[in-house]
Amino acid sequence: MQLHEKYRGQGFEVLAFPCNQFAFQEPGSAAGVQQWAARTFGASFMVMGKVRVNGWLAHPVFKFLKGACEACGGAVKWNFSGKFLVARDGTVVKRFGGDPPQRTALIEELLAASGGNAA
């Protein structure tokens, strides 16, 4: 959420995909998740429709993301920590778990390379 606030004026967007496959932590609707995130964390990013991220019923977006690069594959282990960095042209740049410091540096590098409108 902090990254979204910091870089959204430069073209960076965060898209959240609610998923109830992880300890059933998101049983509500996408709108309910958005309201909860806004109220609890002050989140202003876009919350998409609820999806499955793993298994044969995984949403096509996650099938694409996980198949986009050698390091991107494998099951998403936890929906709050599984993150994919995608460039504006749709190229999956990297998959991250947790909050590694290099993620911020890579976002800044992509934004700088595109004149502030890449990620």
Side-chain angles (χ1 to χ4, degrees):
M1 285 171 269
Q2 292 172 346
L3 291 175
H4 183 248
E5 292 301 315
K6 183 174 182 178
Y7 298 112
R8 73 179 178 178
Q10 298 174 54
F12 179 78
E13 288 293 332
V14 171
L15 305 178
F17 291 83
C19 177
N20 204 32
Q21 287 184 287
F22 303 95
F24 306 106
Q25 287 198 333
E26 292 185 322
S29 66
V33 172
Q34 173 67 49
Q35 291 169 357
W36 173 80
R39 184 177 59 249
T40 306
F41 301 109
S44 60
F45 51 80
M46 192 179 315
V47 177
M48 310 307 281
K50 190 181 265 188
V51 299
R52 290 181 180 259
V53 299
N54 292 320
W56 67 278
L57 289 175
H59 190 280
V61 167
F62 282 87
K63 288 180 181 179
F64 166 75
L65 290 170
K66 293 187 295 184
C69 67
E70 190 172 314
C72 294
V76 174
K77 293 181 173 78
W78 193 256
N79 57 333
F80 296 118
S81 64
K83 297 170 180 69
F84 294 86
L85 182 59
V86 180
R88 184 171 294 276
D89 69 358
T91 304
V92 179
V93 177
K94 189 156 177 115
R95 180 178 177 176
F96 295 98
D99 284 321
Q102 70 268 27
R103 185 175 59 204
T104 301
L106 189 51
I107 290 168
E108 290 176 354
E109 181 181 318
L110 285 169
L111 289 170
S114 70
N117 289 311

